[in-house]
Amino acid sequence: MIRKKRNAVQKYLKNDIADLINSGLDVNAYDRTEGLLVELNLLSCYDFLDQYCEQILSHLETIFRQRECPENCREPVGSLIFAAARLADLPELRQLRTMFNERYGNSLECHVNKQFAEKLKLLPHKKDVKLQLMQDTAAEFGIEWNSKALQQMLHEQKDKDVSGKNKKSEDKGSYDAVENATPRQKSVGSKHLDPQSGDKDSGHERHGIKIPNVEVSRQRTRDGLSGRATSLPVELEKRSPEDLMKGHIRVNSCTLDMFGPNGHVHPKVPIYEEVLARMTDLGGKSKE
């Protein structure tokens, strides 16, 4: 039943490839060859399984009598165990794998048929194999087809992909060089990017610190524009840029009404007489 299903899929893909070749769509036909090769490999794997099952059946009595696997059955048993995890449409193989593993363990992994294992790995096929399959399919359907034009197109596409990868690697290398540069190199590079004549409103720079132009900010505030100086306290606006460079400036957070007659700040505490009267009142109420 499974073989019939695979044969139907194989015929459909082969007819599709033949129609594409006959219509001059060689690239589309080339893309379909991978699926056809997968189906052909699976069909050949089923042939392997038929042979292995027949061989095991013919030596079944010897397998029951001996504790170790017979020498002429090691490849069939090891290959069936290998195929159990790769052929989902044959659940019986998983049952056989369980029985064989209980009897022989993992001692037969090295006896798997290499050709059978390669077909089950379903690796991408090479360009020559695909072109040969297209040539055989065209000959089977009586189509005259020359593969030179397709080979030239594939070669140009490969060169284009290689150049694109090289360009990406060059861009990545330049990006990595910038990321791995020292802070001094980055600062030097940024200086070359800055214009020689800076913005007049940007102020001036000293020791790597940007000092805003307070006069210009005040002018912008008077004109109704939003400037950085509008968010600064009055104490900072009255200072020059040279004073700002001397160190951190602490802005007064106390108002004038908080200072006492001696210039000290005193917290506002309740009057002693009022507190005493309240305590006496509360003591009388508690006695009552």
Side-chain angles (χ1 to χ4, degrees), residues 186-196:
K186 291 183 179 180
S187 62
V188 172
S190 61
K191 288 181 180 179
H192 289 290
L193 295 176
D194 293 337
Q196 296 296 330

Side-chain angles (χ1 to χ4, degrees), residues 34-78:
E34 184 65 33
L36 180 57
L37 286 170
V38 170
E39 294 297 328
L40 292 174
N41 286 338
L42 288 176
L43 285 173
S44 63
C45 288
Y46 294 140
D47 295 336
F48 273 103
L49 292 177
D50 286 340
Q51 298 175 8
Y52 290 149
C53 290
E54 292 293 336
Q55 191 171 355
I56 291 174
L57 283 174
S58 62
H59 295 83
L60 195 58
E61 295 182 0
T62 307
I63 292 175
F64 281 135
R65 288 197 305 266
Q66 296 181 5
R67 181 66 183 86
E68 295 182 358
C69 183
E71 185 176 356
N72 52 0
C73 291
R74 291 177 181 176
E75 180 180 323
V77 173

Side-chain angles (χ1 to χ4, degrees), residues 56 63 67-82 96-97 99-101 103-113:
I56 291 174
I63 292 175
R67 181 66 183 86
E68 295 182 358
C69 183
E71 185 176 356
N72 52 0
C73 291
R74 291 177 181 176
E75 180 180 323
V77 173
S79 299
L80 288 180
I81 294 174
F82 181 81
L96 292 174
R97 178 184 60 184
M99 291 187 291
F100 286 137
N101 283 334
R103 189 173 182 85
Y104 303 119
N106 298 326
S107 60
L108 301 177
E109 292 181 354
C110 58
H111 296 281
V112 181
N113 186 288

